[in-house]
Amino acid sequence: MFHRPASRRHLGTAAVALGLLCTLSASAWADGPDPRTAAAPHVRVTPVASAPGSATALSGYAIQSSAEVPDAAADISSPGYPASGWYPAGSRSTVLAALLANGTYADPFYSTNLQKIPKADFAVPWWYRSDFTVADTSERSQLDFSGVISAADVYVNGRQVADAAEVAGAYTHHELDITSLVRAGTNTVAFRIRPNDPNKNLTMGWIDWLQPPPDQNMGIVRDVLVRRGGPVALRDAHVVTALDVPSLGSADLTVKARARNETGSAVTATVSGRIGSVSFSKSVPLAAHETRAVTFTPSDVPGLHLTEPKVWWPAGMGGQPLYGLDLTASVAGTPSDTAHEDFGVREVKAPLNSAGARQYSVNGRRLLIKGAGWSPDEFLRWDRTYVEDRLKYALDLGLNTVRLEGHIEPDEFFDLADRYGMLTLPGWECCDKWEGQVNGSETGDPWSAADYPVAKASMAAEAARLRDHPSVISFLIGSDFAPDARIEKNYLDALKAADWPTPVVAAASDKSSPVSGSSGMKMTGPYDWIPPGYWYAKREGGATGFNSETGAGPDIPTLDTLHRMMSPAELDTLWKNPDARQYHRSPSPVFGTLKIYDAALAGRYGAPTGLTDYVRKAQLAQYESVRAQFEAYGRNATDSSKPSTGVVHWMLNSGWTSLHWQLMDRYLDQGGAYFGAKKANEPLHVQYSYDNRSVVVVNNRHAAATGLTARVTLFNTDGTQKYDRTATGVAVGGDGARTTALTVPSSVSGLSTTYLARLVLSDAGGKEVSRNVYWLSTRPDTIDWANTDWYYTPTTSYADLKGLNSMTRVPVSASVSTSSGPDGTSTTKVTLRNDGTGRTPSLLTDAHLVDAKGRPVLPVRWSDNQVSLWPGESATLTATYRTADLHGATPGVRISGWNTPERTVRAR
C-alpha cells in the first residue's frame, strides 16, 4: 500500500469460522496416543516413499517454545525424544496457528481477543520436530523446503545440517542432502525457528491491513519434502513457450531441466520426456558432481512445434487448457529421478501506452485489468476449499485478476488460478524490510550485506515456482518504491536465469528502476471514503491509467457478521462514535477510526438512528461507491486519450474480521460492496456516468452486440415518473468496447432533491439483459481536489440523499424452491415481487439464504441480488451452494431491503 512521509501508507489484510479453521491440519495427527508417551502430541509419523523421484511432505510437527525446552539440540532432533507437553501442528503452520488449533486462546477474530495474546511468548525461538520413516536407504535423500519464517537452524537425527544464516527468508528455497544421515526405520528432523520481525527480516508482514498476529507468523508455512532419488537428480524442469500471435495457429515449446550427478563418479544419464503424444530423449554424460543443462527444442524434436495449440485464456475470454511435461532421468536403464510440470500456452504483453500507462494484452487481445487485492488468512493457514471459494467469488464479481502484495501463496493457489482463469499479479510487499533500502525514513530497516543474497535467492525461488503458471502475468519487484540499481540487478539476473516469461514491473506505484524503467502504474489512492463521482475524473485515483490499489476504504459487513466479530459494547460504539478507535479497522493512526466515512454517511444519508440503520445505510453507500469505481474504469478503457488500463480494488478480502478494505467479509458474506462490483462488471452492462450524465453500454464479451434498446427513467422517491427516454438500435463492439446510448439532461422539471434513475438494457428480442438503478441528488458532492492527501480527497459538501428516508415501505413477496445439483450442490430459486399498491419501488432488495436458525449459508453464489423492483415487477434469482452447509435443514430466504420489511420464506 502507499503511504506518504510519516504516516506511511498501510501498516496492514480467511477460512471460515475458527472451529472450521482448526481442522486445517486435522490429517496431521493420529487418533490414538503416541506409543512413546501418552503426554506427547498426536503427530503422525510420516512414511516416506522410496520410489525415485518421489517427494513426501512431512505430515505435521510437535512444537514447543525453546524457553520450555532445556535439552540439547542433538537430543531434541533424535528419534525417540519424548516430546511430552509439546503442541501438535500441521504440515504448514505458524506457531500461533498451532496454538489456536489446540484451543490455547479464544477466537482471535472476535472483539479484542487477539490483543490479549501475550507477544512475549513468541520473542524466543520455537522448536518444530517431526519423525519420518524410511524403508529403503539405497536411494539418496534430500530435505527440500521453503516458507520458513523468519529463519531456522535445521537438524536431522541429532546432527545440524544448516544454520539460521543459511536458512533465512520466507521465500528462499533449500535442498539439503541428508543421505548420509538417513537410516532405515524412524528418522527425525527438527527446526529451531527464529522469531520474525518484518522490519528486520525478508519475510512477510501485515503493514496496516489488520491487527498483526502476536507471533508475526513465525513458523513453517509451506510443505517440507523428503525427496528420494538415484545417482542423478532432475531439477528446474520447465517449458518455455512461444505462441504465434495473432494467428494462434502454432506454438514452439522448449523443454529445459538440469541433470545433477550426486555421486563422486562419472555417469551417463538418459533424460527422456513426454508432452502429450510427443516424446523425446537424449544421453547426458556427467562428470562427478557435475550439473548440466538439458534442453529439447523444436529443431531437434519436431513434435515440440505445435500446430493448432490449445491456448490458455483468462476467464471469460476462452478456455483454460493445460499441458503436462513428464521427465525421467535414468542410469543404466534404471529410473533415477522424475519431474512433472503443468504449463499453459499463452502470451502476455504489457507495453506502456502513449500516456505512460501499462496496457496488458493476452494472446494479442487487449484487456482491462479488473482486479482486487488478495489476502491470505492472518495466521497463514492453508485451506484449499476456502481459497477456492474466494477465487470463485472473484470470478462471480466479474474480476479477472488478483494482486498478491507479498504473502505469495503456496503452489496450489496458482494451480487453482490456472484452472479458473484468474490472472495473478504477485510481487514483493512494501513498508517493511523488503523496501527498507529504498524507502528513506519509512518503516523497514536498511539492508545489510547479508540481505542481498537472501533477496536474490527469494526471487530465484519464486520465479522458478511461478514461471509455468499461465495465470501469472507479471512480477512486481517493487511496491510503494522501486528497487535501486543493485537490488534490481539481482532480481533481474534471477528472473533471467529462470527464463521468466512475462513482464517485470518496477513498482506498483508511479516509480522507475534503472533497467525496467517506468512502472506504468499509479498508487494514488484513495484508501478512505470518497464520493462515487470521484472515479470519473482523470486525475488522482480516477479512471485513467493503471491504479494498482484503490478503493473507498471502509466496508461495514452485514449485521450477521458484525455480531460474530464484535461485542455488544463495540457495536454500540460503532454507530454512535465516529471518533472512536476501531480495533477491527487498522493499527494505523491514519486508518484507526471511521471518522471520514461516518461523516459522509451522515452527511449524505442522514445520521444513523441505531445499529441496524447504520448498517443499512452503509450497504447503500458501499454499493454505489464500488459500482462507480469499476464502472468508471470500464467506461474509460477505450478512450483515445489517457484511457484506463487497470484497476485493483483495495482489497478483495481481509485476513480477519475487518471493517475496511474488502468486497466480501471474513465469513464470505456479501453486502453492498460485493453486489455493487458484481453489477458493474456484468458481461453486457448499462451504466450511468456521474460526470456527464451519459448512459453508456459496456460490452465485456468478445462478440459485438447489436439491436439493443437502452431506456432511462427518472423518478422522485415516491415513485412519480419525471423523465423517460429510449434509444433503439444500439450497437456496441466486443472486448470492453463502449457506446453512449443517450444523455440525461442537466435539469429535469419537478425532480425532487433525491431521486432515482432506472436504466434498462434490452436485446433485439425485447428481453431485459441489464438493469441498473441509481439514487442521485440534484445537489452533487463537492470534491476538494486541491487538498488531496495520499489516502483520500476531501469532500466539502455532500450530495443530499436524505430523501430516501421518506420512501414508503413496500411489501415484497417471495416464492422459494430448491433442487439438487451436481457435485454435492443445491440451487435455491427465489422469485421476488413488489406487491405494493402505490408507485414506490423496493430499493436494493436483498435475499439472504439462511439455515434453520436464521444464519447465513455461506459461501453462496447468486445470479443477481440487491435488486430494485417497481410495483408489479418481479425478478427471479438463483443461489447455488454446498448442500452440506445446510446440515440437513430446509433452506430459507431472508428478504430485506432499504424500504422492504424483513421476512423469511422457507423453500417448498
Side-chain angles (χ1 to χ4, degrees):
M1 287 306 228
F2 191 57
H3 345 227
R4 302 294 183 182
S7 43
R8 209 337 262 151
R9 147 202 142 217
H10 22 214
L11 303 168
T13 159
V16 259
L18 178 65
L20 173 59
L21 280 172
C22 290
T23 69
L24 291 177
S25 305
S27 62
W29 3 112
D31 295 329
D34 187 295
R36 293 169 298 174
T37 167
H42 302 160
V43 179
R44 179 184 300 156
V45 176
T46 306
V48 169
S50 296
S54 62
T56 305
L58 297 179
S59 55
Y61 303 92
I63 72 169
Q64 183 57 275
S65 168
S66 63
E68 303 295 327
V69 183
D71 302 315
D75 295 331
I76 294 169
S77 60
S78 293
Y81 175 78
S84 57
W86 289 40
Y87 301 93
S91 59
R92 308 171 186 177
S93 180
T94 66
V95 172
L96 188 50
L99 298 179
L100 290 169
N102 281 277
T104 305
Y105 306 112
D107 180 359
F109 296 126
Y110 179 75
S111 187
T112 57
N113 286 346
L114 184 66
Q115 194 174 44
K116 299 171 185 175
I117 300 173
K119 295 180 181 179
D121 289 353
F122 314 106
V124 298
W126 276 67
W127 281 104
Y128 276 58
R129 186 184 185 284
S130 188
D131 289 338
F132 62 93
T133 59
V134 170
D136 179 5
T137 59
S138 63
E139 300 291 339
R140 302 189 65 82
S141 299
Q142 281 88 24
L143 201 62
D144 186 308
F145 60 92
S146 64
V148 172
I149 302 176
S150 67
D153 305 297
V154 187
Y155 301 82
V156 173
N157 289 346
R159 296 279 300 277
Q160 185 167 5
V161 294
D163 62 29
E166 301 169 88
V167 181
Y171 299 104
T172 53
H173 174 245
H174 308 277
E175 187 176 0
L176 307 176
D177 191 333
I178 58 173
T179 302
S180 64
L181 299 176
V182 169
R183 61 199 189 196
T186 301
N187 298 265
T188 299
V189 59
F191 295 82
R192 182 163 54 197
I193 307 292
R194 302 293 179 91
N196 183 38
D197 182 343
N199 287 323
K200 298 182 182 300
N201 308 119
L202 291 167
T203 55
M204 302 181 194
W206 290 97
I207 321 162
D208 49 6
W209 299 6
L210 44 66
Q211 300 292 346
D215 72 337
Q216 295 288 1
N217 294 136
M218 68 184 297
I220 303 175
V221 297
R222 293 182 182 170
D223 287 341
V224 174
L225 306 174
V226 181
R227 291 190 178 276
R228 307 302 304 285
V232 173
L234 274 178
R235 296 293 183 265
D236 201 33
H238 62 286
V239 180
V240 178
T241 66
L243 177 64
D244 184 47
V245 175
S247 78
L248 310 184
S250 65
D252 287 336
L253 310 181
T254 299
V255 177
K256 294 187 175 185
R258 288 182 294 112
R260 185 177 71 210
N261 184 356
E262 305 278 59
T263 74
S265 303
V267 297
T268 297
T270 300
V271 177
S272 57
R274 177 180 293 273
I275 297 174
S277 61
V278 180
S279 59
F280 38 89
S281 181
K282 68 172 53 176
S283 293
V284 183
L286 295 165
H289 301 297
E290 179 186 8
T291 298
R292 177 172 290 189
V294 181
T295 303
F296 300 93
T297 69
S299 62
D300 51 59
V301 182
L304 294 178
H305 174 77
L306 305 182
T307 56
E308 299 184 4
K310 296 179 289 184
V311 177
W312 187 96
W313 290 95
M317 296 178 71
Q320 292 78 45
L322 295 174
Y323 289 85
L325 164 70
D326 289 291
L327 288 179
T328 301
S330 301
V331 177
T334 300
S336 178
D337 201 2
T338 62
H340 176 83
E341 282 290 307
D342 290 325
F343 65 95
V345 174
R346 60 92 176 92
E347 179 198 77
V348 177
K349 298 292 185 183
L352 303 185
N353 65 14
S354 60
R358 196 166 291 276
Q359 173 66 69
Y360 279 86
S361 66
V362 177
N363 303 331
R365 282 167 57 184
R366 191 175 69 173
L367 77 161
L368 171 70
I369 295 296
K370 295 186 291 185
W374 178 270
S375 173
D377 169 65
E378 175 167 4
F379 310 110
L380 304 185
R381 296 171 291 195
W382 174 258
D383 182 333
R384 178 188 171 92
T385 299
Y386 185 62
V387 168
E388 194 167 9
D389 287 338
R390 282 179 288 164
L391 287 174
K392 288 179 179 178
Y393 266 18
L395 292 171
D396 183 54
L397 290 172
L399 304 181
N400 56 29
T401 305
V402 290
R403 178 183 166 215
L404 294 83
E405 186 193 3
H407 304 95
I408 304 175
E409 293 276 36
D411 295 343
E412 297 97 322
F413 174 88
F414 296 96
D415 292 339
L416 288 168
D418 293 344
R419 171 183 167 189
Y420 287 116
M422 179 58 65
L423 303 176
T424 65
L425 284 171
W428 304 128
E429 66 194 47
C430 80
C431 320
D432 57 21
K433 183 70 171 187
W434 283 102
E435 294 187 346
Q437 189 64 17
V438 295
N439 66 5
S441 61
E442 295 196 22
T443 306
D445 286 3
W447 286 19
S448 68
D451 293 315
Y452 290 90
V454 172
K456 184 175 183 178
S458 300
M459 186 74 265
E462 289 305 287
R465 193 171 71 91
L466 301 178
R467 63 192 164 195
D468 275 339
H469 287 284
S471 59
V472 178
I473 58 169
S474 273
F475 199 95
L476 279 63
I477 57 175
S479 180
D480 288 22
F481 294 86
D484 62 21
R486 181 181 177 186
I487 297 172
E488 184 189 31
K489 184 178 187 306
N490 282 340
Y491 287 157
L492 294 182
D493 286 350
L495 288 160
K496 182 179 179 180
D499 292 320
W500 185 255
T502 60
V504 177
V505 180
S509 62
D510 185 13
K511 302 289 185 182
S512 299
S513 56
V515 176
S516 302
S518 172
S519 70
M521 294 187 175
K522 65 179 183 179
M523 192 187 281
T524 47
Y527 300 103
D528 214 323
W529 187 87
I530 42 81
Y534 170 100
W535 299 108
Y536 289 84
K538 290 195 174 185
R539 57 180 298 175
E540 309 302 339
T544 181
F546 193 121
N547 200 340
S548 69
E549 48 183 56
T550 187
D555 180 80
I556 305 302
T558 63
L559 272 172
D560 296 290
T561 291
L562 286 172
H563 284 296
R564 294 179 73 171
M565 63 184 268
M566 299 174 76
S567 69
E570 290 166 333
L571 292 174
D572 206 40
T573 299
L574 176 65
W575 72 271
K576 287 182 177 179
N577 188 356
D579 293 322
R581 294 284 301 179
Q582 294 291 342
Y583 185 70
H584 284 267
R585 184 152 193 221
S586 171
S588 163
V590 177
F591 303 120
T593 75
L594 292 166
K595 185 174 182 178
I596 295 171
Y597 176 85
D598 285 353
L601 206 64
R604 300 174 90 241
Y605 290 99
T609 59
L611 177 64
T612 299
D613 187 55
Y614 177 80
V615 174
R616 139 183 197 268
K617 288 172 176 172
Q619 301 314 312
L620 255 68
Q622 289 153 196
Y623 188 108
E624 65 167 345
S625 180
V626 173
R627 174 178 61 180
Q629 177 181 347
F630 283 109
E631 285 184 338
Y633 273 85
R635 187 197 72 175
N636 291 358
T638 53
D639 285 358
S640 58
S641 175
K642 298 176 66 176
S644 57
T645 62
V647 59
V648 177
H649 180 83
W650 208 248
M651 302 178 62
L652 177 70
N653 65 294
S654 177
W656 84 321
T657 42
S658 180
L659 295 171
H660 76 167
W661 297 345
Q662 57 191 1
L663 292 175
M664 64 196 74
D665 70 36
R666 191 64 177 75
Y667 304 108
L668 301 183
D669 206 353
Q670 305 146 319
Y674 186 97
F675 291 113
K678 180 177 172 69
K679 174 57 63 177
N681 294 321
E682 61 187 356
L684 185 60
H685 179 62
V686 63
Q687 63 187 60
Y688 172 83
S689 302
Y690 282 81
D691 59 342
N692 60 15
R693 305 175 312 283
S694 60
V695 174
V696 173
V697 179
V698 177
N699 183 13
N700 293 306
R701 297 168 175 167
H702 183 49
T706 59
L708 304 173
T709 298
R711 180 183 181 187
V712 58
T713 313
L714 304 186
F715 301 87
N716 287 344
T717 52
D718 64 0
T720 304
Q721 180 175 311
K722 291 296 179 182
Y723 176 84
D724 186 58
R725 185 179 172 191
T726 298
T728 59
V730 176
V732 59
D735 292 333
R738 71 112 194 278
T739 189
T740 299
L742 45 84
T743 299
V744 177
S746 58
S747 178
V748 173
S749 178
L751 205 59
S752 55
T753 302
T754 305
Y755 64 97
L756 304 175
R758 183 183 66 194
L759 279 58
V760 176
L761 185 70
S762 303
D763 64 15
K767 179 183 177 182
E768 183 177 304
V769 292
S770 177
R771 168 182 288 227
N772 209 350
V773 175
Y774 295 79
W775 39 104
L776 303 167
S777 176
T778 58
R779 187 181 306 159
D781 298 288
T782 304
I783 299 173
D784 184 8
W785 294 105
N787 285 302
T788 296
D789 205 339
W790 65 266
Y791 61 97
Y792 90 121
T793 296
T795 302
T796 55
S797 64
Y798 298 112
D800 185 355
L801 301 174
K802 299 181 184 68
L804 296 178
N805 295 313
S806 63
M807 289 182 69
T808 302
R809 291 169 68 79
V810 295
V812 174
S813 62
S815 60
V816 181
S817 61
T818 294
S819 59
S820 297
D823 304 319
T825 64
S826 291
T827 297
T828 292
K829 183 168 70 172
V830 186
T831 298
L832 304 176
R833 179 181 173 84
N834 182 336
D835 290 331
T837 57
R839 294 173 296 194
T840 306
S842 62
L843 181 63
L844 227 64
T845 304
D846 178 89
H848 247 69
L849 190 74
V850 295
D851 64 14
K853 296 182 178 180
R855 299 170 301 195
V857 176
L858 302 168
V860 60
R861 286 184 297 283
W862 288 93
S863 59
D864 195 5
N865 210 328
Q866 299 198 345
V867 296
S868 297
L869 300 172
W870 268 252
E873 288 187 333
S874 63
T876 298
L877 321 176
T878 58
T880 304
Y881 52 94
R882 286 187 287 266
T883 307
D885 290 341
L886 277 169
H887 306 290
T890 300
V893 177
R894 185 175 66 209
I895 309 301
S896 62
W898 176 258
N899 58 327
T900 301
E902 182 178 308
R903 61 191 293 248
T904 298
V905 180
R906 292 287 159 189
R908 295 194 304 270

